[in-house]
Amino acid sequence: MDAVRLIGATRTALAQAGAVHDIVTEAWQTQALAGAVGGHLAVHGPFEARAAAGSLSEAGTRASGALRHTLRAGAIRAGQLTEVRDPWGALAGLCGLLGEVGIALVGVACSSGEDAMYWQCIEAIDAADETSDRVRWLQRRLAAREREGGAA
């Protein structure tokens, strides 16, 4: 499945998540998806952007480790990624989704009366912020490549 469709499915799942556990799970789903998109672009993307894509993959994969404890392997949406037809669209979608995840997590953290849940949300917010930075770095690498005459 294409990255843009998976980002859309994750955005829908986040919007429909009502329970705290579901919101946190979608935050980690987003991290796993960022890792998968980065991994795909690190292998199949433009040479000049592969290091930045690898960095995105590393950040997303590292941060989504908590998801593996929460879900069965088949339930991790990022495992369905087969292609990134539109790198710009996928990266823009990831940036937007990571922002939405951050907002949802702030809401959960502020309303949580549990210390453990509060700190889990803070960790997830930090991970989303770091991953978002990596997405923007990759976007800059692709933009530089285009300015230099390459195609994305």
Side-chain angles (χ1 to χ4, degrees), residues 41-51 53 87 138 141-142 145 150-152:
L41 292 175
V43 173
H44 303 288
F47 178 77
E48 300 86 348
R50 288 186 180 178
L138 179 52
R141 292 301 309 141
L142 290 174
R145 180 178 189 271

Side-chain angles (χ1 to χ4, degrees), residues 10 13 21-36 59-80 120 123-124 127:
T10 304
H21 178 269
D22 295 336
I23 293 169
V24 172
T25 298
E26 290 309 320
W28 297 126
Q29 287 275 16
T30 300
Q31 290 296 133
L33 185 53
T61 303
R62 181 178 59 245
S64 69
L67 184 61
R68 294 186 193 345
H69 300 296
T70 308
L71 300 174
R72 303 179 324 277
I76 298 174
R77 212 172 285 119
Q80 299 172 30
Q120 185 177 2
E123 179 184 343

